[in-house]
Amino acid sequence: MEKTINRLSGLLAGAALLGLAMPAAHAADAVKVGLMLPATGTYAKLGTAITNGFKLYADENGGKIGGVTVEYSMVDDESDPAKATENANKLVKRDAVDVLVGTVHSGVAMAMAKVARGTKTLMIVPNAGADELTGPLCAPNIFRTSFTNWQPSYAMGPVLLGKGVKKVVTLTWKYSAGLQAIDGFKESFTAGGGEIVKELTLPFPNTEFQPYLTEIASLKPDAVFVFFAGGGAVKLAKDYAAAGLKDSIPLYGSGFLTDGTLDAMGGAGEGLLTTLHYADGLDNAKDKAFRAAYEKAYGMAPDVYAVQGYDAAQLLAAGLTAVQGKVEDRQGMIKAMEAAHIDSPRGTFSMSAAHNPVQDIYLREAKGSVNPVVSVASKALADPARGCSMQ
Ligand code: BEZ
């Protein structure tokens, strides 16, 4: 991609020097999309849902996004930060993709963003919440269609305070997503007078929860707040219920705990209250159409990850449509993507100045296989984007 752009700018400069007419940019034959997502490991299901959502949008539009045929290059990033730079380079340098789409794991996404910044490749993050991506690492060519780790958790603080909860123990994996999610919750909960009794962590992706559950039982907080997702979330909810804690010490979390995981929990997730930017039973036409189309295409219900993948394609469509498919008109694409109002199944959202969704965060209560809305916990919540200076 960078090579192509360098070659192109060399030609343009040469033409200008010789006084030749500048060639007009023309619509590309195809847009090359590099999907870097987990296909194995604890986040494998999340990667599949994002891929499904992204491809659903293209398939609904005859295999095109913004009027341009899509060609995919795919890499399984295994949610392994140690392999992330090499994997991102495979897509950018070897496959010369126009757009990098990924990923789920915050640590992997941070390495991808460094490659995207270095090569000025357009990047759309369809999940990873690392606050840095739209904070200190923000850049004109980096967009996100999901959330910051801060957003869903920050919205839970006032919910628990409203229930009279005063003392909370937190539990999460010790990597940026978990730590930042806990920080978000802590910020609003302690600002309203709540106390964090203890912050428990275990290495990602470990699921040996027993010693932590024993400690929670002896600390006897009013409630527990967690960040877990995918396979780890399933195991945590099952172990929490099996330890007999579910009825005595209520468990809360950001919505990744119960999105796409309830069936596998086999009832252990029933009644859990979580906060997230998506919920079941939203009363909007876009969500109804999306859910019907997803079920028809893949034979299963979509979850938040599928929504984020679908919206990554919608955001790319906004950029490509504005430049009539001229992929090389990157400035035109960025301008249009910044101004986009995405008609998402979660409800319409806009982009903050740091390129992160400004969106409603819902309080949901798990019932059977779904997470229906209880209320809007935070309306049009924008991440504070601390440390972002866009240049
Ligand atoms: C993350 O690593 O940013 C993440 C992973 C799964 C769900 C939510 C966030």
Side-chain angles (χ1 to χ4, degrees):
M1 168 76 170
E2 194 187 22
K3 269 186 249 130
T4 312
I5 284 174
N6 287 344
R7 214 166 35 237
L8 191 62
S9 25
L11 283 174
L12 292 175
L17 276 176
L18 293 169
L20 301 175
M22 302 283 270
H26 57 277
D29 296 334
V31 57
K32 293 183 90 175
V33 172
L35 292 177
M36 181 160 152
L37 292 162
T40 49
T42 197
Y43 287 159
K45 261 190 80 189
L46 287 58
T48 303
I50 291 168
T51 306
N52 288 349
F54 192 95
K55 291 190 168 174
L56 178 64
Y57 180 83
D59 292 346
E60 284 176 346
N61 290 279
K64 296 183 177 188
I65 292 185
V68 187
T69 302
V70 190
E71 280 174 12
Y72 296 101
S73 291
M74 299 181 64
V75 164
D76 173 11
D77 68 36
E78 303 168 48
S79 293
D80 185 352
K83 298 181 184 160
T85 304
E86 192 187 334
N87 281 330
N89 275 325
K90 271 187 205 155
L91 292 172
V92 171
K93 300 202 169 137
R94 183 195 65 191
D95 298 348
V97 299
D98 297 305
V99 191
L100 207 45
V101 175
T103 185
V104 169
H105 184 288
S106 276
V108 177
M110 299 260 286
M112 287 177 78
K114 286 176 189 153
V115 171
R117 281 170 69 102
T119 57
K120 301 216 182 314
T121 307
L122 193 58
M123 172 171 172
I124 303 178
V125 182
N127 184 70
D131 294 345
E132 294 89 338
L133 296 171
T134 50
L137 280 181
C138 76
N141 57 315
I142 299 177
F143 288 81
R144 174 154 50 195
T145 57
S146 50
F147 57 90
T148 61
N149 291 321
W150 180 92
Q151 274 177 315
S153 303
Y154 182 81
M156 186 58 106
V159 173
L160 292 204
L161 291 166
K163 290 182 180 300
V165 171
K166 292 196 171 59
K167 290 180 190 295
V168 165
V169 169
T170 62
L171 174 62
T172 189
W173 280 313
K174 191 172 185 175
Y175 84 102
S176 55
L179 300 175
Q180 292 173 350
I182 298 303
D183 281 350
F185 169 72
K186 201 162 62 171
E187 186 178 327
S188 60
F189 184 62
T190 57
E195 186 193 341
I196 305 292
V197 183
K198 187 132 194 191
E199 295 179 43
L200 300 171
T201 58
L202 69 164
F204 175 86
N206 286 8
T207 54
E208 284 310 314
F209 295 117
Q210 207 47 56
Y212 305 93
L213 301 182
T214 304
E215 189 167 358
I216 288 167
S218 75
L219 287 166
K220 295 191 180 52
D222 299 334
V224 171
F225 179 84
V226 300
F227 166 88
F228 289 103
V234 173
K235 175 84 166 28
L236 184 270
K238 282 182 154 179
D239 287 2
Y240 200 85
L245 292 173
K246 193 167 172 232
D247 295 328
S248 53
I249 306 177
L251 178 65
Y252 299 90
S254 49
F256 310 107
L257 182 65
T258 55
D259 231 80
T261 53
L262 287 170
D263 285 341
M265 285 177 186
E270 189 68 16
L272 293 183
L273 287 170
T274 60
T275 38
L276 200 64
H277 50 288
Y278 187 56
D280 291 290
L282 292 176
D283 191 19
N284 76 63
K286 184 73 179 187
D287 190 46
K288 289 187 180 122
F290 167 75
R291 294 187 76 89
Y294 193 95
E295 297 230 24
K296 185 164 178 235
Y298 304 110
M300 61 177 137
D303 56 18
V304 68
Y305 310 103
V307 171
Q308 294 166 170
Y310 188 81
D311 290 343
Q314 292 211 82
L315 182 65
L316 181 58
L320 284 169
T321 303
V323 299
Q324 289 92 41
K326 295 166 193 144
V327 181
E328 67 268 36
D329 183 358
R330 190 201 310 247
Q331 283 318 316
M333 285 184 71
I334 288 175
K335 213 167 136 219
M337 289 163 73
E338 285 176 334
H341 288 261
I342 301 295
D343 183 15
S344 168
R346 76 188 86 170
T348 302
F349 69 85
S350 58
M351 282 287 155
S352 70
H355 297 178
N356 188 68
V358 178
Q359 57 194 340
D360 293 348
I361 307 291
Y362 305 101
L363 176 65
R364 314 109 44 87
E365 180 172 1
K367 284 206 166 78
S369 301
V370 292
N371 291 280
V373 194
V374 175
S375 61
V376 175
S378 190
K379 186 89 198 138
L381 185 64
D383 181 84
R386 295 170 186 128
C388 168
S389 137
M390 193 65 77
Q391 49 203 338

